[in-house]
Amino acid sequence: MKIRTAAEMKRNVPERFAWILDHVFEQVRAGRIKVGEELPSAGELAAALGVSESESAAALREMETLCLVEKRSGSGPYIFGSVSNGFTHTFDVMRMLGIVGPRDVGAFRKSMELAVYDLAFRNRNKRLELAEMKEVLGAFPQENIETQIRLDQRFHYLLTEMTDNGVMTMLMSAIFEIYGRWVTRGLGAMPERGMRRLHNAHTKIYESLLHNDKAAGLEAIDEHYYLIELAGEEMLNVRSPRQPLV
């Protein structure tokens, strides 16, 4: 996914608003407005720039559409403090418009997970994450399904943290949010045997990192997403070309 520059964003804004956007970017660059802080109101922007309040309000709405700012109840807008929120919003819009569906997000998530695994495998400073991953795996079998779903999410968060890569963490946080809503329903309907196979795939991923066996890890990731795909298809009542989990 290409990250747009300020200039590229500005080209998507009507010309009469572009210079207001320039003004806001300049305030952020100069440190007068920090990420996560509240922007001046439409009235304050209008007074500072010599435009009508309706025009400055429209410019702020354009910025919200571009996911540059967010409105909060009773205040705002605010400069986005988390870029991943912007990605999450974009995925949500694409899903509502029918541009992407669960299978699209699942395929993208798997491709990203393979990249995450590659970075995690090459990172030699992952002792703490491996120790917590072992605890997660140990707790998994005896827990109820709701807790197992949370442990599954924690396992994948730990794998992402092993990359020690801020960009990857940002992207995966957005994907976790979108993909998690769908896969949680799928896992909730998964039979006990399927959850045991999922735990076995997690264990193989952990052991591959522990013993530097990359081939085994990649095979385990493929098995993991095969199980998730089956769970999702059963939830959506879509016939799978492979054998069911039960």
Side-chain angles (χ1 to χ4, degrees), residues 69-83:
V69 301
E70 61 177 332
K71 293 293 292 292
R72 300 178 188 173
S73 179
S75 63
Y78 290 77
I79 294 289
F80 256 125
S82 172
V83 178

Side-chain angles (χ1 to χ4, degrees), residues 101-190:
R103 290 184 185 84
D104 302 305
V105 178
F108 182 62
R109 165 73 191 270
K110 180 181 178 181
S111 68
M112 291 296 296
E113 186 99 327
L114 290 169
V116 163
Y117 179 84
D118 181 63
L119 288 173
F121 186 84
R122 287 187 281 159
N123 180 15
R124 299 305 175 189
N125 186 26
K126 51 180 179 277
R127 180 176 55 84
L128 294 177
E129 290 87 354
L130 282 171
E132 186 175 347
M133 196 175 271
K134 182 178 181 180
E135 293 178 4
V136 167
L137 291 170
F140 191 95
Q142 63 265 27
E143 296 291 350
N144 58 38
I145 186 64
E146 291 81 8
T147 303
Q148 286 181 334
I149 290 171
R150 289 196 295 270
L151 290 173
D152 171 80
Q153 293 169 344
R154 183 58 188 162
F155 181 91
H156 292 283
Y157 273 118
L158 286 168
L159 187 61
T160 301
E161 287 174 6
M162 284 184 199
T163 68
D164 198 24
N165 185 297
V167 174
M168 189 64 77
T169 300
M170 176 194 71
L171 287 171
M172 291 302 285
S173 293
I175 297 168
F176 283 143
E177 177 68 22
I178 297 296
Y179 185 68
R181 300 172 196 168
W182 170 69
V183 79
T184 295
R185 296 195 298 272
L187 292 180
M190 183 181 281

